[in-house]
Amino acid sequence: MIGMALKRGLSGVNRIRGGGGCGGSRSAFILLVFFCVFAPLVFFVGRGVYIDSSNDYSNDSVKQDLDWRERLAMKSLRSLFSKEVLDVITASTADLGPFSLDSFKKNNLSASWREAVVDTSVRNSQNQTTSSTMNAKRDITLKGGSSHQKAETPAKFYRRQLREKRREMRANELVQRNDDTILKLENAAIERSKSVDSAVLGKYSIWRRENENDNSDSNIRLMRDQVIMARVYTGIAKLKNKTELLQELQARIKDSQRVLSEATTDADLPRSAHDKLRDMGQVLSKAKMQLYDCKLVTGKLRAMLQTADEQVRSLKKQSTFLAQLAAKTIPNPIHCLSMRLTIDYYLLSPEKRKFPRSENRENPNLYHYALFSDNVLAASVVVNSTIMNAKDPSKHVFHLVTDKLNFAAMNMWFLLNPPGKATIHVENVDEFKWLNSSYCPVLRQLESAAMKEYYFKADHPSSGSSNLKYRNPKYLSMLNHLRFYLPEVYPKLNKILFLDDDIIVQKDLTPLWEVNLNGKVNGAVETCGESFHRFDKYLNFSNPHIARNFNPNACGWAYGMNMFDLKEWKKRDITGIYHKWQNMNENRTLWKLGTLPPGLITFYGLTHPLNKAWHVLGLGYNPSIAKKDIENAAVVHYNGNMKPWLELAMSKYRPYWTKYIKFDHPYLRRCNLHE
C-alpha cells in the first residue's frame, strides 16, 4: 500500500511538472514530502489497530483507538505545516485527482486564472466539505465491518486511469477553445480598427503619430478606461439585479464624465480628479469581486466595440457629406462680391464694357490660357499670380469662361482691375449654342430621371452612396466638362495652357510653350506612386470594356495645369473619343462621376509627362507637403476639399494664396473679405 501511494504521488508530481509553472512545482514538492515522509507515519499510526485486530479487539474499541491516533497524528502535522499547505495536500489527495477541471485551471499559466480573486470563505467551505466527505467515506468503510482495506483490482485501476486521461484531455480542450476564441476576438478588433479612418477631410488628422506621447495625459486616459469598464459592469449588474452596485457605478460614471467634459489634458483636470479616480477604482474593484465573469465581460466589450464602430462609420459618413457640402458652397463674402460687381456692371454703358486689345484673342503667336470658373475671387488670383511672375505680361492672353450668373461680375472685376498689359477675354458658357444635349452626352444624361434621382438623394447624408464626393454636381457642370471641347471653343489656336481656378502660379510659365510633346496631345505631371493614383484607382476593371483596352498599372496624371496641342487634338479626334466613352458610361459602370477618369481614358497613350517641379498638388487635403517642394514649384494646386477661400482651408498653406489678393480693395472691404 505504501508503494502504491508513493507511486501515485510521484506520477502526480510528474504530471504537474509537465503542466509547467511555479505553482505546479510547489504543489509537486508538497505532495512528494507528504507521500514520502508523513504518509507512512499516518499509515502506520492509523493502521496499527488493524495489525492488532487479530488479538480479539472489538470493532468499537478499534474505532476509538483509530480516532485517537488519527487526531494525534493530525495535531503533529498542523504544528509543522501552515493551513495553506494542508489545504493543498487535502485537495491534491481528493478523489477527483490533480487533473480535475478546477485544479487544472488553478495550475494553468493563463493570467485570467492567476489574477482571479478567490473568496477565502468559499475556499474554506470547500475544504471543510472535502474533509467531511473523506471522513464520511472512512466511517462507512469501518462500519461495514471490514478489518482490512480492500486492494484495487486491475480493472478498476485501468478504468480510473482512463477517467483521469479523459478529464485531462477535456480540460486541455476547454482551455484551447478559450485561447482560440480570445485570439479570434483580438484579430477581429484589430481588423475593425484598421478599417476606421479618422481623417474625414482628406489625410488631415490631429491624431497623427508625431503628435503622440506615451507619457502625456495619463490621468485622462485612465479615467476614460475606467468609464469604459464601469459601463461594462453596469450592464452585468443589470443582468444580475445588483441594484445597489448599479446605482453606485452610474453615480461614479457621471462624476468622471463631468470631469472629462471640461478637460482635454491632465493640466485641465480639477483638484478633485484624483479623488474621482480613487473612488472609481474602489467601485470597480468591488464590482470585479461581485460580477467578474470572463464570458460576460468579453461579450459586453464586444457589443460596445461593435456599437462604437457603427457610430464612427455613421459620423464619418455625415462628416464627409458636410465636408462635400462646405467644399461646393460659395462663402457669403464671395457671393456678396459677385452681387455687387453684377449690379455695377449693368450700370455701365455698353461702350465701357469692352476690354482693350481684343485683336490678341486669336493670335497664335501669343501665350494663351484657358480658365473656366464661376468664382470671381479665385479667377482673379490665378490671373494676378500668372502676370506678376511673367517676364513679359503683354504676350499673355487669358480666356475666361463662366456661367450666366457670374458673367457680369467676372467682366466688372477685370474692367476695374486690369492685369497690366495682358489681354482678358470673358465668355458665357450658356451662349455656346453648339453645346447642346444632341451633341454633348453629359447634357443629355442630365435630362434623365435616373440622374436627377441620384442627385436628389445625394442631398442627404444617409444616402447609400459609397463615396459622396462623386455626387457633387460640379462633376456634371459644363464648366467642368468644357475642357474636352477646347478646339471648338478656340478654333484658331494651336496650343493652349489649361489652368484650374484653385491654383496659384509662382514662376514664369512661358517655357511650357517650348516643351516638345513628341506628338502627344496632352502635357501633364504624372501623379502615380508605388500603388496609388494608377488607372485601377479610377476605372472599373471588372468591366470587360475597361479591362480589354487599358492597363490597370498605367500611371495617372493631374488636371490643373495641362498643355494641350490643339492641332494634334483635331487630327486624333479627341472630342470624338471622349463622346464614345461618355456614352458607354451612362449608367456609371465604367467610372464614377468626374472629369479625371474620362480624361485618363481619352488621352490614354497621348500624354507626355512633364517635370514634377512644374505642378505640385495636394494643398487641399495633404498637410505634410514639404515647404521646399511648394516654394520650388511653378504651379501650386489646392486640389481637395480644403480650398484656400474656405474657412476649412489649412492655415499653413493659405498665405501662398492670399498674398495675391489686395484686401484693402473697396469691394472686398464692403463684403467683409479679409485674411
Side-chain angles (χ1 to χ4, degrees):
M1 296 299 292
I2 297 173
M4 290 180 64
L6 182 58
K7 182 177 180 181
R8 183 175 179 182
L10 290 174
S11 65
V13 170
N14 291 329
R15 286 196 295 269
I16 293 173
R17 284 181 176 176
C22 298
S25 300
R26 181 181 177 188
S27 300
F29 177 75
I30 294 172
L31 287 174
L32 184 60
V33 171
F34 175 80
F35 282 115
C36 293
V37 179
F38 295 100
L41 174 62
V42 175
F43 179 84
F44 284 115
V45 173
R47 300 303 179 188
V49 177
Y50 289 96
I51 296 174
D52 296 335
S53 61
S54 59
N55 296 329
D56 300 329
Y57 284 103
S58 64
N59 289 338
D60 293 338
S61 62
V62 169
K63 184 174 183 304
Q64 293 175 1
D65 197 9
L66 177 64
D67 291 341
W68 175 80
R69 293 176 181 274
E70 185 179 35
R71 286 197 300 271
L72 182 62
M74 291 303 295
K75 184 176 180 181
S76 300
L77 288 174
R78 289 192 182 94
S79 64
L80 295 174
F81 290 96
S82 64
K83 183 178 180 300
E84 181 183 0
V85 174
L86 292 175
D87 290 342
V88 173
I89 294 172
T90 303
S92 300
T93 56
D95 290 340
L96 292 177
F99 287 102
S100 65
L101 183 59
D102 292 337
S103 179
F104 188 90
K105 290 177 179 178
K106 291 176 182 177
N107 289 290
N108 191 24
L109 292 177
S110 174
S112 62
W113 290 107
R114 289 200 301 268
E115 293 175 359
V117 180
V118 181
D119 193 342
T120 306
S121 61
V122 176
R123 185 190 300 171
N124 291 339
S125 63
Q126 290 177 349
N127 293 337
Q128 291 174 5
T129 303
T130 305
S131 178
S132 62
T133 303
M134 294 176 63
N135 292 333
K137 289 182 179 180
R138 192 160 50 243
D139 292 343
I140 292 172
T141 303
L142 292 175
K143 289 178 182 179
S146 175
S147 59
H148 297 281
Q149 187 177 10
K150 293 182 180 180
E152 188 177 30
T153 63
K156 289 183 178 180
F157 178 73
Y158 178 71
R159 285 196 298 271
R160 182 170 55 78
Q161 284 186 326
L162 289 179
R163 285 195 300 272
E164 290 179 354
K165 288 182 179 179
R166 283 197 297 270
R167 292 189 188 106
E168 181 179 355
M169 292 174 61
R170 180 59 178 165
N172 282 323
E173 183 180 354
L174 290 174
V175 173
Q176 182 65 31
R177 286 183 182 178
N178 187 39
D179 293 341
D180 291 343
T181 302
I182 293 174
L183 183 60
K184 289 179 181 178
L185 289 174
E186 290 176 352
N187 291 335
I190 291 172
E191 292 300 323
R192 280 195 295 269
S193 66
K194 289 180 180 179
S195 67
V196 176
D197 183 12
S198 61
V200 174
L201 301 176
K203 297 182 179 178
Y204 179 73
S205 174
I206 60 173
W207 303 109
R208 294 179 62 81
R209 186 168 297 278
E210 58 261 31
N211 294 329
E212 293 179 359
N213 187 348
D214 295 337
N215 298 321
S216 64
D217 306 325
S218 58
N219 290 332
I220 290 284
R221 292 200 304 272
L222 178 58
M223 293 187 75
R224 288 172 179 167
D225 293 342
Q226 285 183 335
V227 170
I228 292 173
M229 286 309 303
R231 287 174 177 168
V232 171
Y233 286 125
T234 298
I236 299 176
K238 288 180 181 179
L239 291 176
K240 296 189 175 182
N241 294 323
K242 300 285 186 179
T243 307
E244 183 178 350
L245 184 58
L246 174 62
Q247 293 176 352
E248 192 172 358
L249 284 168
Q250 290 175 340
R252 293 292 174 262
I253 290 174
K254 289 182 180 179
D255 291 342
S256 297
Q257 288 178 335
R258 191 178 298 111
V259 172
L260 290 173
S261 65
E262 300 174 356
T264 55
T265 63
D266 283 354
D268 299 332
L269 291 174
R271 294 182 179 180
S272 61
H274 293 284
D275 296 335
K276 305 296 183 185
L277 278 169
R278 184 189 65 248
D279 295 342
M280 177 65 89
Q282 293 174 353
V283 175
L284 289 176
S285 298
K286 182 179 178 181
K288 184 176 181 181
M289 293 286 291
Q290 297 183 22
L291 304 175
Y292 184 80
D293 184 293
C294 185
K295 290 184 178 180
L296 287 177
V297 171
T298 303
K300 188 66 177 176
L301 286 172
R302 187 191 310 166
M304 291 174 64
L305 178 61
Q306 291 175 349
T307 302
D309 190 21
E310 292 174 359
Q311 291 176 350
V312 168
R313 292 179 186 276
S314 176
L315 291 174
K316 179 186 174 183
K317 193 170 185 179
Q318 292 179 8
S319 299
T320 303
F321 172 78
L322 294 175
Q324 297 297 330
L325 184 63
K328 67 185 181 182
T329 302
I330 299 296
N332 282 335
I334 297 180
H335 179 70
C336 166
L337 175 65
S338 180
M339 293 299 99
R340 287 184 178 274
L341 290 170
T342 299
I343 294 171
D344 291 345
Y345 177 78
Y346 287 112
L347 294 177
L348 292 177
S349 60
E351 295 79 14
K352 295 183 179 180
R353 297 179 186 176
K354 296 180 180 180
F355 288 99
R357 295 179 289 276
S358 59
E359 67 278 3
N360 293 336
R361 297 176 184 175
E362 297 179 350
N363 186 350
N365 297 320
L366 300 178
Y367 305 118
H368 294 265
Y369 300 86
L371 176 61
F372 309 145
S373 174
D374 58 357
N375 188 326
V376 176
L377 189 64
S380 70
V381 170
V382 175
V383 174
N384 289 343
S385 62
T386 305
I387 296 303
M388 289 176 65
N389 292 285
K391 292 181 179 179
D392 188 358
S394 63
K395 293 184 178 181
H396 295 263
V397 181
F398 291 90
H399 302 271
L400 283 76
V401 181
T402 187
D403 55 15
K404 184 188 301 184
L405 181 63
N406 294 281
F407 175 74
M410 196 76 73
N411 276 281
M412 189 64 187
W413 176 264
F414 287 105
L415 287 171
L416 293 174
N417 307 281
K421 296 180 180 181
T423 302
I424 294 292
H425 178 210
V426 181
E427 295 181 275
N428 181 3
V429 68
D430 297 310
E431 293 179 357
F432 295 162
K433 301 303 180 183
W434 53 267
L435 197 62
N436 50 56
S437 59
S438 62
Y439 177 65
C440 178
V442 172
L443 289 176
R444 184 173 61 255
Q445 291 167 11
L446 277 173
E447 297 175 355
S448 67
M451 191 68 72
K452 293 178 181 178
E453 182 183 2
Y454 182 80
Y455 274 99
F456 279 123
K457 286 184 177 179
D459 290 335
H460 305 284
S462 59
S463 59
S465 175
S466 59
N467 198 334
L468 290 171
K469 75 177 184 179
Y470 295 119
R471 295 192 171 203
N472 193 331
K474 77 173 185 178
Y475 290 116
L476 287 181
S477 168
M478 283 316 301
L479 286 177
N480 207 30
H481 282 261
L482 196 61
R483 65 191 67 188
F484 293 104
Y485 300 96
L486 288 172
E488 284 87 345
V489 181
Y490 310 110
K492 295 185 179 181
L493 299 181
N494 297 327
K495 276 188 175 183
I496 195 166
L497 184 64
F498 172 79
L499 298 176
D500 269 341
D501 64 354
D502 56 351
I503 63 107
I504 56 170
V505 178
Q506 301 184 128
K507 293 183 180 180
D508 182 27
L509 298 182
T510 54
L512 280 172
W513 275 265
E514 305 300 327
V515 174
N516 185 2
L517 299 182
N518 298 315
K520 307 293 185 181
V521 180
N522 174 27
V525 171
E526 293 182 337
T527 58
C528 62
E530 294 181 0
S531 61
F532 53 90
H533 286 181
R534 297 186 182 273
F535 270 45
D536 59 352
K537 178 179 175 64
Y538 304 100
L539 305 178
N540 178 19
F541 276 87
S542 63
N543 187 287
H545 296 292
I546 298 295
R548 282 196 305 265
N549 292 282
F550 305 101
N551 179 6
N553 294 319
C555 190
W557 45 267
Y559 267 129
M561 188 209 69
N562 305 80
M563 177 60 69
F564 290 110
D565 187 335
L566 300 184
K567 282 187 176 181
E568 199 68 29
W569 184 306
K570 296 174 186 177
K571 287 181 182 179
R572 297 180 180 269
D573 190 20
I574 297 299
T575 303
I577 297 173
Y578 162 71
H579 282 174
K580 169 192 170 183
W581 287 103
Q582 192 70 46
N583 284 324
M584 293 174 63
N585 192 49
E586 186 170 357
N587 295 324
R588 300 180 301 278
T589 57
L590 305 185
W591 67 84
K592 299 295 184 181
L593 296 177
T595 53
L596 181 57
L600 296 176
I601 288 178
T602 303
F603 296 101
Y604 182 66
L606 300 173
T607 300
H608 175 75
L610 299 176
N611 190 302
K612 291 187 177 182
W614 281 111
H615 189 188
V616 170
L617 299 101
L619 276 73
Y621 70 89
N622 186 1
S624 58
I625 302 175
K627 183 178 180 181
K628 181 180 179 181
D629 293 339
I630 296 175
E631 293 177 349
N632 291 336
V635 171
V636 175
H637 197 170
Y638 291 84
N639 58 313
N641 286 330
M642 291 178 264
K643 303 298 184 185
W645 56 83
L646 299 175
E647 291 186 4
L648 50 81
M650 282 183 272
S651 57
K652 68 176 182 177
Y653 296 149
R654 200 164 184 267
Y656 296 108
W657 187 80
T658 56
K659 75 178 184 178
Y660 295 105
I661 300 176
K662 295 181 179 180
F663 288 98
D664 58 349
H665 193 283
Y667 279 87
L668 300 187
R669 288 204 310 268
R670 279 185 285 176
C671 290
N672 294 322
L673 267 166
H674 48 78
E675 293 188 51

